[in-house]
Amino acid sequence: DVDSLMWARLGNHFAAAAGALPTDLGLVPLHPVTGAELESYADFDLDAFFRSVRAETAHTMDQRITAMVEFAQAWRPDLVVHDILYLDAVVPAKVLGVPAVCHLTGPIGTRETEWGLDFIPRHYSREYERHGVAERGTDLITHVVDICPASMAPATGATRLDVRPVPYNGPGAMPTIALRSGDRPRVGVLWSNTMPMLYGARSFIVPTVVEALADLDVDVVLTMNAEAGRKLGPLPKNITLLDHCPVHTLLPTCDALFHNGGAGATMTAIVAGVPQVFATFGAEYRANARRVAATGAGLVLDGAGVEADSIRRSVLGLLADPSYAKHADVLRAEA
């Protein structure tokens, strides 16, 4: 299959070449294939790369759709479900004459106008024409499964199928620390492993978060992989590090969540009724954060320029003001 992280980095290069890359996002030029940081976007020959991978990518897409159609014809499903990044699944649905439904994963919809939020693929396999599928883009999406609360409904022109979100953040048992003791507020901290792969080394701001929360009268539970955790060195007494804790088991015991704004963590916090502080990099994460903050259930910081003092003030402000918890509970009830 194609490498989604590579194509995300490549998208920034295309936008930079077209002069359409927003400067306020503070994006760092990364090599599309390796993820290594570059001095500038001009240091990568975009045209040569695209010429070299065009044929290989086209072959992969053709092969994938052919296999899906053959499988669908053998198995005869009554319904095809796909996500917003993967419209090829509509082709076997059209061939069989059965409905296809796009399952959204958070606040980003199928009819977004802001830069960086239009995730619908722009490159289509020749298999579309071969199987008689003339539609493209949003025309391929007629129904969406929407897991967001009504006040955060994603933009779409498709028929909306509202469902209750059921969080799942990976396997694992509820950690002992989830059995909370004491009266101090608890702050969960979650940071995605993919951030440096998309936004460079500076997006690993966890040391700054640790500095910000170290001397506060709060209990902090930080969950991330063990390798990244080792970069932090000895932690303050009020911070506990968990290796890949399933967040849905932990958040119901938290009074606040600090994270980068990924859809999974955002929706898990909404279901738990936990107010959120976001430090965002990139358009998608910023949009998720803004849409929660617009309901009164969170605060947004710019990850690229964030400092320990602003993190500290935001977390303390959110814990001290009961309106954030109140609005988070409204979102939970809607969900």
Side-chain angles (χ1 to χ4, degrees):
D1 207 347
V2 293
D3 183 342
S4 59
L5 289 176
M6 182 195 75
W7 283 99
R9 294 188 291 257
L10 200 60
N12 290 342
H13 281 264
F14 278 118
L21 196 66
T23 56
D24 65 318
L25 289 177
L27 298 177
V28 176
L30 300 179
H31 192 287
V33 178
T34 66
E37 295 190 20
L38 305 173
E39 287 294 326
S40 74
Y41 286 101
D43 291 340
F44 181 78
D45 191 337
L46 186 62
D47 291 337
F49 174 77
F50 196 59
R51 286 194 300 271
S52 68
V53 301
R54 185 192 297 270
E56 180 183 345
T57 301
H59 175 72
T60 300
M61 293 172 69
D62 294 349
Q63 187 180 52
R64 187 171 60 194
I65 293 176
T66 298
M68 280 193 292
V69 170
E70 291 176 352
F71 175 75
Q73 288 173 328
W75 194 58
R76 311 298 299 182
D78 299 298
L79 172 70
V80 174
V81 183
H82 62 95
D83 64 65
I84 198 170
L85 297 174
Y86 195 71
L87 302 191
D88 293 351
V90 175
V91 177
K94 294 277 190 183
V95 170
L96 267 64
V98 301
V101 177
C102 177
H103 196 307
L104 303 179
T105 56
I108 308 301
T110 63
R111 190 167 284 179
E112 299 285 353
T113 57
E114 185 178 336
W115 184 91
L117 302 185
D118 185 1
F119 296 145
I120 295 176
R122 289 286 175 263
H123 303 287
Y124 298 93
S125 164
R126 294 165 297 188
E127 294 297 297
Y128 280 70
E129 284 82 9
R130 194 165 81 82
H131 291 290
V133 181
E135 299 92 338
R136 294 291 184 273
T138 54
D139 291 339
L140 287 164
I141 302 174
T142 59
H143 293 75
V144 297
V145 172
D146 179 8
I147 62 173
C148 276
S151 59
M152 288 177 55
T156 184
T159 299
R160 197 186 304 273
L161 307 172
D162 295 308
V163 302
R164 178 179 182 171
V166 180
Y168 179 73
N169 316 108
M174 178 182 288
T176 304
I177 195 172
L179 303 175
R180 184 171 170 178
S181 61
D183 298 325
R184 294 205 306 181
R186 169 176 281 184
V187 178
V189 176
L190 173 65
W191 206 251
S192 171
N193 299 327
T194 63
M195 295 299 290
M197 302 177 197
L198 289 172
Y199 305 111
R202 71 172 180 168
S203 66
F204 185 72
I205 65 167
V206 181
T208 306
V209 179
V210 170
E211 177 189 349
L213 305 181
D215 59 351
L216 300 184
D217 189 25
V218 298
D219 292 323
V220 179
V221 181
L222 168 62
T223 176
M224 57 196 305
N225 69 35
E227 182 181 352
R230 282 192 289 271
K231 298 178 183 178
L232 302 175
L235 291 171
K237 290 182 179 180
N238 69 327
I239 298 181
T240 301
L241 176 64
L242 298 180
D243 180 16
H244 275 319
C245 168
V247 187
H248 62 277
T249 67
L250 177 68
L251 276 184
T253 75
C254 292
D255 300 291
L257 173 66
F258 183 96
H259 66 117
N260 57 274
T266 298
M267 295 305 301
T268 302
I270 286 173
V271 171
V274 177
Q276 307 177 55
V277 178
F278 302 85
T280 61
F281 293 82
E284 175 191 358
Y285 301 103
R286 181 181 290 187
N288 290 338
R290 277 196 210 139
R291 292 170 188 186
V292 171
T295 71
L299 293 170
V300 186
L301 299 172
D302 177 12
V306 75
E307 297 178 348
D309 184 58
S310 59
I311 294 174
R312 186 182 301 110
R313 283 188 282 105
S314 296
V315 170
L316 288 176
L318 184 139
L319 291 173
D321 186 344
S323 70
Y324 292 105
K326 178 182 177 182
H327 289 297
D329 197 53
V330 170
L331 282 185
R332 182 203 59 76
E334 286 185 17

